[in-house]
Amino acid sequence: IEAALREHQLSSDGRFLQRVYPGIKKAMDWFIGHYDQAHEGVTRGQQWNTYDTAVSGLNTFIGSQYLSALAAATALALAMGDTEAAARWQEIREKGSQKQDAELWAGEYYIQKPETPPAHDYNNGCHSDQLLGQWWAHQLNLGYLYPPERVKTACRAIVRHNLKPDFTGLEQIPRRYVDDGDGGLYMCTWPGNDRPDPYTLYSIEVWTGIEYSTAGLMVYEGLLDEARGIVRAARARYDGRPRKDQNSGGGVCGMGNPFQELECGKFYARAMSSWSLLIAGQGLILDGPAGLLGFKPRWQPDDHRSFFTVPRGWGLFTQ
Protein backbone atom coordinates (compact mmCIF):
# COMPACT_ATOMS: atom_id res chain seq x y z
CA ILE A 1 0.00 0.00 0.00
CA GLU A 2 2.94 2.32 0.68
CA ALA A 3 4.25 1.47 -2.80
CA ALA A 4 0.84 2.31 -4.26
CA LEU A 5 0.97 5.77 -2.68
CA ARG A 6 4.51 6.22 -4.00
CA GLU A 7 3.34 5.35 -7.53
CA HIS A 8 0.39 7.72 -7.17
CA GLN A 9 2.75 10.52 -6.12
CA LEU A 10 4.92 9.69 -9.13
CA SER A 11 1.91 9.90 -11.48
CA SER A 12 0.82 12.98 -13.40
CA ASP A 13 -2.89 12.42 -12.72
CA GLY A 14 -5.26 10.20 -10.74
CA ARG A 15 -5.85 7.45 -13.29
CA PHE A 16 -3.48 4.98 -11.65
CA LEU A 17 -5.12 5.43 -8.26
CA GLN A 18 -8.61 5.12 -9.69
CA ARG A 19 -7.63 1.79 -11.22
CA VAL A 20 -5.99 0.26 -8.16
CA TYR A 21 -7.95 1.77 -5.27
CA PRO A 22 -10.55 -1.04 -5.00
CA GLY A 23 -7.73 -3.53 -4.52
CA ILE A 24 -5.96 -1.25 -2.04
CA LYS A 25 -9.11 -0.98 0.07
CA LYS A 26 -9.65 -4.73 -0.04
CA ALA A 27 -6.04 -5.44 0.95
CA MET A 28 -6.04 -2.96 3.83
CA ASP A 29 -9.28 -4.28 5.28
CA TRP A 30 -8.13 -7.90 4.83
CA PHE A 31 -4.98 -7.19 6.84
CA ILE A 32 -6.95 -5.50 9.61
CA GLY A 33 -9.39 -8.39 9.78
CA HIS A 34 -6.62 -10.99 9.81
CA TYR A 35 -4.03 -9.43 12.13
CA ASP A 36 -5.86 -6.71 14.10
CA GLN A 37 -9.42 -7.85 14.70
CA ALA A 38 -9.77 -5.57 17.75
CA HIS A 39 -8.76 -2.51 15.65
CA GLU A 40 -6.03 -1.60 18.15
CA GLY A 41 -3.39 -0.73 15.56
CA VAL A 42 -1.13 -3.62 16.59
CA THR A 43 -0.37 -6.91 14.86
CA ARG A 44 -1.10 -10.25 16.49
CA GLY A 45 -0.68 -13.91 15.59
CA GLN A 46 1.84 -15.48 13.23
CA GLN A 47 3.18 -12.81 10.89
CA TRP A 48 5.14 -14.14 7.92
CA ASN A 49 7.71 -11.81 6.48
CA THR A 50 10.73 -11.40 4.21
CA TYR A 51 12.96 -13.30 6.64
CA ASP A 52 11.30 -16.52 5.43
CA THR A 53 9.83 -17.15 8.87
CA ALA A 54 7.07 -15.70 11.03
CA VAL A 55 7.21 -13.51 14.10
CA SER A 56 4.43 -13.54 16.67
CA GLY A 57 2.65 -10.96 18.73
CA LEU A 58 3.32 -7.27 19.14
CA ASN A 59 6.36 -5.86 17.37
CA THR A 60 7.40 -2.77 15.43
CA PHE A 61 9.13 -4.72 12.64
CA ILE A 62 5.76 -5.63 11.11
CA GLY A 63 3.86 -3.17 13.29
CA SER A 64 5.56 -0.05 11.94
CA GLN A 65 4.85 -1.24 8.40
CA TYR A 66 1.21 -1.73 9.42
CA LEU A 67 1.07 1.86 10.70
CA SER A 68 2.69 3.25 7.55
CA ALA A 69 0.26 1.21 5.44
CA LEU A 70 -2.68 2.65 7.39
CA ALA A 71 -1.31 6.17 6.94
CA ALA A 72 -0.75 5.61 3.22
CA ALA A 73 -4.20 4.08 2.78
CA THR A 74 -5.73 7.07 4.56
CA ALA A 75 -4.00 9.47 2.16
CA LEU A 76 -5.17 7.45 -0.84
CA ALA A 77 -8.73 7.26 0.47
CA LEU A 78 -8.83 11.04 0.91
CA ALA A 79 -7.56 11.48 -2.65
CA MET A 80 -10.45 9.27 -3.78
CA GLY A 81 -13.02 11.07 -1.64
CA ASP A 82 -13.62 7.93 0.47
CA THR A 83 -13.94 9.78 3.76
CA GLU A 84 -15.48 6.82 5.63
CA ALA A 85 -12.49 4.55 5.01
CA ALA A 86 -10.03 7.39 5.62
CA ALA A 87 -11.52 8.19 9.04
CA ARG A 88 -11.63 4.52 10.04
CA TRP A 89 -8.02 3.81 9.03
CA GLN A 90 -6.73 7.01 10.62
CA GLU A 91 -8.38 6.13 13.92
CA ILE A 92 -6.74 2.70 13.92
CA ARG A 93 -3.37 4.22 13.02
CA GLU A 94 -3.54 6.75 15.84
CA LYS A 95 -4.46 4.04 18.36
CA GLY A 96 -1.67 1.83 17.07
CA SER A 97 0.97 4.53 17.28
CA GLN A 98 0.14 5.06 20.95
CA LYS A 99 -0.22 1.40 21.86
CA GLN A 100 2.90 0.17 20.07
CA ASP A 101 4.97 2.92 21.62
CA ALA A 102 3.58 2.24 25.11
CA GLU A 103 3.93 -1.54 24.89
CA LEU A 104 7.22 -1.95 23.03
CA TRP A 105 9.54 0.90 23.96
CA ALA A 106 12.31 -0.54 26.15
CA GLY A 107 14.14 2.68 26.95
CA GLU A 108 16.74 2.37 24.18
CA TYR A 109 14.92 0.80 21.25
CA TYR A 110 11.68 -1.04 20.36
CA ILE A 111 11.38 -4.74 21.22
CA GLN A 112 8.91 -7.54 20.50
CA LYS A 113 6.40 -9.24 22.79
CA PRO A 114 5.82 -12.77 21.41
CA GLU A 115 2.58 -14.68 21.81
CA THR A 116 1.82 -18.32 22.46
CA PRO A 117 2.60 -20.27 20.40
CA PRO A 118 5.81 -18.40 19.65
CA ALA A 119 7.42 -18.22 16.22
CA HIS A 120 10.92 -17.30 15.04
CA ASP A 121 10.94 -14.28 17.31
CA TYR A 122 13.51 -11.69 18.31
CA ASN A 123 12.06 -10.74 21.72
CA ASN A 124 14.50 -8.23 23.30
CA GLY A 125 16.70 -8.03 20.22
CA CYS A 126 17.77 -4.77 18.62
CA HIS A 127 16.36 -5.25 15.13
CA SER A 128 17.73 -3.12 12.28
CA ASP A 129 14.25 -3.30 10.70
CA GLN A 130 12.42 -2.19 13.84
CA LEU A 131 11.49 1.15 12.19
CA LEU A 132 11.09 0.04 8.59
CA GLY A 133 7.61 1.54 8.45
CA GLN A 134 8.97 4.89 9.64
CA TRP A 135 11.43 4.83 6.73
CA TRP A 136 8.45 4.38 4.39
CA ALA A 137 6.44 7.10 6.12
CA HIS A 138 9.24 9.63 5.81
CA GLN A 139 9.66 8.95 2.10
CA LEU A 140 5.93 9.49 1.54
CA ASN A 141 5.72 12.60 3.76
CA LEU A 142 3.33 10.88 6.16
CA GLY A 143 4.91 12.16 9.35
CA TYR A 144 5.99 10.32 12.47
CA LEU A 145 4.52 7.00 13.58
CA TYR A 146 6.20 7.14 17.00
CA PRO A 147 7.56 9.99 19.16
CA PRO A 148 10.37 11.66 17.18
CA GLU A 149 12.85 11.59 20.05
CA ARG A 150 12.37 7.85 20.46
CA VAL A 151 12.79 7.23 16.75
CA LYS A 152 16.15 9.02 16.87
CA THR A 153 17.20 7.19 20.04
CA ALA A 154 16.35 3.83 18.46
CA CYS A 155 18.36 4.73 15.36
CA ARG A 156 21.40 5.44 17.49
CA ALA A 157 20.91 2.13 19.30
CA ILE A 158 20.87 0.26 15.99
CA VAL A 159 24.24 1.75 15.08
CA ARG A 160 25.67 1.15 18.54
CA HIS A 161 24.71 -2.51 18.71
CA ASN A 162 24.52 -3.74 15.10
CA LEU A 163 27.21 -1.91 13.12
CA LYS A 164 30.51 -3.82 13.29
CA PRO A 165 33.64 -2.32 11.70
CA ASP A 166 35.43 -5.67 11.31
CA PHE A 167 33.78 -9.07 11.01
CA THR A 168 36.95 -11.03 11.68
CA GLY A 169 35.96 -13.80 14.09
CA LEU A 170 32.27 -12.80 14.17
CA GLU A 171 29.59 -15.39 13.42
CA GLN A 172 27.47 -15.18 10.27
CA ILE A 173 24.51 -17.58 10.24
CA PRO A 174 23.28 -19.18 8.02
CA ARG A 175 25.10 -17.35 5.19
CA ARG A 176 28.34 -15.40 4.97
CA TYR A 177 28.25 -12.11 3.09
CA VAL A 178 31.05 -10.18 4.86
CA ASP A 179 34.73 -11.02 4.55
CA ASP A 180 37.25 -10.75 7.38
CA GLY A 181 38.40 -7.17 7.63
CA ASP A 182 35.16 -5.79 6.21
CA GLY A 183 32.38 -4.14 8.19
CA GLY A 184 28.60 -4.29 8.06
CA LEU A 185 25.29 -3.95 9.85
CA TYR A 186 23.89 -7.06 11.52
CA MET A 187 20.17 -7.60 11.00
CA CYS A 188 19.57 -8.13 14.72
CA THR A 189 21.64 -8.40 17.88
CA TRP A 190 20.83 -9.12 21.51
CA PRO A 191 22.61 -6.62 23.78
CA GLY A 192 21.38 -8.53 26.84
CA ASN A 193 22.75 -11.87 25.57
CA ASP A 194 19.21 -13.28 25.64
CA ARG A 195 18.77 -14.48 22.07
CA PRO A 196 15.73 -16.80 21.93
CA ASP A 197 15.70 -20.26 20.40
CA PRO A 198 14.46 -20.38 17.72
CA TYR A 199 15.13 -16.78 16.70
CA THR A 200 14.34 -14.73 13.60
CA LEU A 201 16.10 -16.33 10.66
CA TYR A 202 18.89 -14.29 8.99
CA SER A 203 19.39 -12.14 12.11
CA ILE A 204 23.11 -12.94 12.12
CA GLU A 205 23.59 -11.85 8.52
CA VAL A 206 24.30 -8.58 6.69
CA TRP A 207 22.13 -7.38 3.79
CA THR A 208 22.93 -4.21 1.87
CA GLY A 209 19.21 -3.73 1.19
CA ILE A 210 18.63 -3.23 4.91
CA GLU A 211 21.84 -1.27 5.40
CA TYR A 212 20.67 1.31 2.84
CA SER A 213 17.11 1.59 4.17
CA THR A 214 18.37 1.93 7.75
CA ALA A 215 20.88 4.57 6.65
CA GLY A 216 18.11 6.34 4.73
CA LEU A 217 16.01 6.54 7.88
CA MET A 218 18.98 8.02 9.71
CA VAL A 219 19.39 10.71 7.06
CA TYR A 220 15.77 11.69 7.65
CA GLU A 221 16.54 11.84 11.36
CA GLY A 222 19.53 14.12 10.78
CA LEU A 223 22.00 11.43 11.85
CA LEU A 224 24.27 11.96 8.88
CA ASP A 225 27.45 10.62 10.45
CA GLU A 226 25.70 7.42 11.46
CA ALA A 227 24.20 7.04 7.98
CA ARG A 228 27.57 7.58 6.34
CA GLY A 229 29.16 4.99 8.60
CA ILE A 230 26.67 2.33 7.49
CA VAL A 231 26.94 3.20 3.80
CA ARG A 232 30.73 3.40 3.96
CA ALA A 233 30.88 -0.14 5.37
CA ALA A 234 28.52 -1.47 2.70
CA ARG A 235 30.25 0.17 -0.23
CA ALA A 236 33.73 -0.81 0.98
CA ARG A 237 32.76 -4.47 0.60
CA TYR A 238 32.21 -3.90 -3.14
CA ASP A 239 35.49 -2.26 -4.11
CA GLY A 240 36.27 -4.74 -6.91
CA ARG A 241 38.62 -6.91 -4.86
CA PRO A 242 37.61 -10.59 -5.10
CA ARG A 243 36.36 -12.01 -1.82
CA LYS A 244 36.39 -15.76 -1.42
CA ASP A 245 33.90 -18.03 0.30
CA GLN A 246 30.92 -15.67 0.05
CA ASN A 247 27.47 -17.18 -0.38
CA SER A 248 24.95 -16.73 -3.20
CA GLY A 249 27.00 -18.02 -6.06
CA GLY A 250 30.55 -18.85 -7.03
CA GLY A 251 32.83 -17.43 -9.66
CA VAL A 252 33.92 -13.83 -10.01
CA CYS A 253 30.36 -12.46 -9.73
CA GLY A 254 29.96 -14.16 -6.37
CA MET A 255 33.25 -12.88 -4.96
CA GLY A 256 32.91 -9.13 -4.65
CA ASN A 257 31.97 -7.86 -8.11
CA PRO A 258 31.46 -4.10 -7.66
CA PHE A 259 28.40 -4.08 -9.92
CA GLN A 260 26.18 -6.35 -7.84
CA GLU A 261 25.50 -6.95 -4.16
CA LEU A 262 25.00 -10.36 -2.62
CA GLU A 263 21.84 -11.17 -0.73
CA CYS A 264 20.04 -14.46 -1.23
CA GLY A 265 21.15 -14.25 -4.87
CA LYS A 266 23.16 -12.18 -7.30
CA PHE A 267 21.92 -8.72 -8.31
CA TYR A 268 19.36 -8.88 -5.51
CA ALA A 269 16.66 -6.20 -5.80
CA ARG A 270 16.57 -5.07 -2.17
CA ALA A 271 19.75 -3.03 -2.67
CA MET A 272 17.61 -0.64 -4.72
CA SER A 273 16.59 0.79 -1.35
CA SER A 274 19.76 2.85 -1.83
CA TRP A 275 17.60 5.27 -3.87
CA SER A 276 16.05 6.38 -0.60
CA LEU A 277 19.38 7.91 0.38
CA LEU A 278 18.98 10.37 -2.50
CA ILE A 279 15.42 11.42 -1.71
CA ALA A 280 16.19 11.57 2.02
CA GLY A 281 19.27 13.70 1.39
CA GLN A 282 17.39 16.14 -0.83
CA GLY A 283 14.18 15.96 1.23
CA LEU A 284 12.00 15.41 -1.82
CA ILE A 285 8.34 16.38 -1.44
CA LEU A 286 6.29 15.20 -4.40
CA ASP A 287 2.62 14.86 -5.29
CA GLY A 288 2.34 14.63 -9.06
CA PRO A 289 -1.48 14.71 -9.36
CA ALA A 290 -1.57 17.80 -7.12
CA GLY A 291 1.25 19.47 -9.06
CA LEU A 292 3.40 19.72 -5.92
CA LEU A 293 7.20 19.60 -5.95
CA GLY A 294 9.42 20.68 -3.07
CA PHE A 295 12.72 20.01 -1.32
CA LYS A 296 13.95 20.12 2.26
CA PRO A 297 17.62 19.17 2.00
CA ARG A 298 19.24 17.37 4.90
CA TRP A 299 22.49 16.77 3.07
CA GLN A 300 24.59 19.97 2.88
CA PRO A 301 21.55 22.31 2.89
CA ASP A 302 23.81 25.36 2.46
CA ASP A 303 25.55 23.88 -0.58
CA HIS A 304 23.24 21.28 -2.08
CA ARG A 305 23.03 19.88 -5.59
CA SER A 306 21.11 16.71 -6.51
CA PHE A 307 19.27 14.92 -9.27
CA PHE A 308 15.49 14.48 -9.01
CA THR A 309 12.70 12.86 -10.99
CA VAL A 310 9.06 13.85 -11.41
CA PRO A 311 6.19 12.16 -13.27
CA ARG A 312 7.10 13.56 -16.69
CA GLY A 313 10.67 14.72 -16.34
CA TRP A 314 13.79 15.13 -14.33
CA GLY A 315 16.12 17.90 -13.27
CA LEU A 316 18.84 19.19 -10.98
CA PHE A 317 18.01 20.94 -7.74
CA THR A 318 20.53 23.34 -6.27
CA GLN A 319 20.42 25.38 -3.08
Side-chain angles (χ1 to χ4, degrees):
I1 292 175
E2 294 96 325
L5 176 55
R6 178 190 63 194
E7 297 308 308
H8 173 64
Q9 292 175 343
L10 284 167
S11 301
S12 57
D13 54 40
R15 287 180 294 176
F16 167 78
L17 177 57
Q18 292 169 7
R19 185 171 73 252
V20 302
Y21 183 72
I24 290 169
K25 187 172 184 179
K26 183 177 181 180
M28 190 74 260
D29 284 338
W30 177 89
F31 190 96
I32 294 169
H34 196 77
Y35 292 105
D36 183 20
Q37 296 180 2
H39 294 190
E40 298 176 289
V42 299
T43 50
R44 298 186 184 277
Q46 303 282 303
Q47 301 152 49
W48 284 87
N49 56 76
T50 191
Y51 290 71
D52 294 338
T53 51
V55 296
S56 69
L58 275 64
N59 66 89
T60 60
F61 165 37
I62 304 298
S64 67
Q65 295 178 74
Y66 177 35
L67 296 179
S68 63
L70 285 164
T74 299
L76 293 170
L78 289 174
M80 287 293 295
D82 189 351
T83 56
E84 181 277 327
R88 180 162 49 85
W89 293 334
Q90 181 173 343
E91 181 180 7
I92 296 173
R93 202 277 302 162
E94 290 174 351
K95 288 181 180 178
S97 290
Q98 294 177 6
K99 188 172 182 63
Q100 288 187 33
D101 180 66
E103 293 279 345
L104 301 174
W105 179 248
E108 188 182 11
Y109 55 84
Y110 289 98
I111 61 171
Q112 176 207 8
K113 290 186 177 179
E115 293 178 337
T116 302
H120 284 74
D121 298 313
Y122 61 94
N123 295 34
N124 294 324
C126 181
H127 204 314
S128 290
D129 261 346
Q130 64 183 271
L131 292 171
L132 186 60
Q134 186 62 74
W135 171 72
W136 264 114
H138 279 331
Q139 292 179 86
L140 299 170
N141 297 298
L142 295 172
Y144 277 93
L145 307 175
Y146 308 107
E149 67 277 7
R150 290 187 172 179
V151 171
K152 185 171 290 187
T153 298
C155 285
R156 290 194 173 110
I158 292 170
V159 172
R160 182 162 53 251
H161 296 302
N162 296 5
L163 182 61
K164 308 298 180 182
D166 185 348
F167 267 69
T168 301
L170 298 182
E171 64 177 342
Q172 297 182 61
I173 302 171
R175 297 165 300 190
R176 186 174 187 266
Y177 294 139
V178 184
D179 207 359
D180 290 349
D182 287 330
L185 186 76
Y186 269 136
M187 309 301 292
C188 188
T189 61
W190 285 264
N193 295 315
D194 53 358
R195 185 170 73 190
D197 184 17
Y199 58 90
T200 302
L201 189 62
Y202 310 137
S203 293
I204 316 302
E205 288 189 353
V206 175
W207 299 351
T208 60
I210 303 304
E211 289 177 306
Y212 295 140
S213 62
T214 303
L217 172 61
M218 292 181 186
V219 173
Y220 279 112
E221 292 304 312
L223 302 174
L224 297 181
D225 289 341
E226 290 85 347
R228 291 179 70 180
I230 294 172
V231 174
R232 186 182 298 114
R235 295 308 312 143
R237 299 199 303 270
Y238 294 92
D239 59 2
R241 177 175 61 84
R243 286 157 167 78
K244 297 181 180 180
D245 303 321
Q246 305 294 289
N247 290 113
S248 296
V252 174
C253 287
M255 297 167 62
N257 186 306
F259 302 110
Q260 66 97 13
E261 302 181 12
L262 299 175
E263 184 195 320
C264 196
K266 299 175 183 178
F267 301 97
Y268 206 68
R270 205 186 327 260
M272 294 173 71
S273 62
S274 57
W275 188 261
S276 71
L277 292 161
L278 171 63
I279 62 175
Q282 66 188 191
L284 178 68
I285 301 170
L286 177 64
D287 187 339
L292 176 65
L293 173 65
F295 300 91
K296 188 179 180 180
R298 293 166 178 84
W299 177 260
Q300 298 182 182
D302 296 327
D303 183 19
H304 182 94
R305 180 181 178 88
S306 61
F307 168 85
F308 69 90
T309 61
V310 291
R312 292 189 177 182
W314 58 271
L316 295 175
F317 169 69
T318 60
Q319 174 172 296

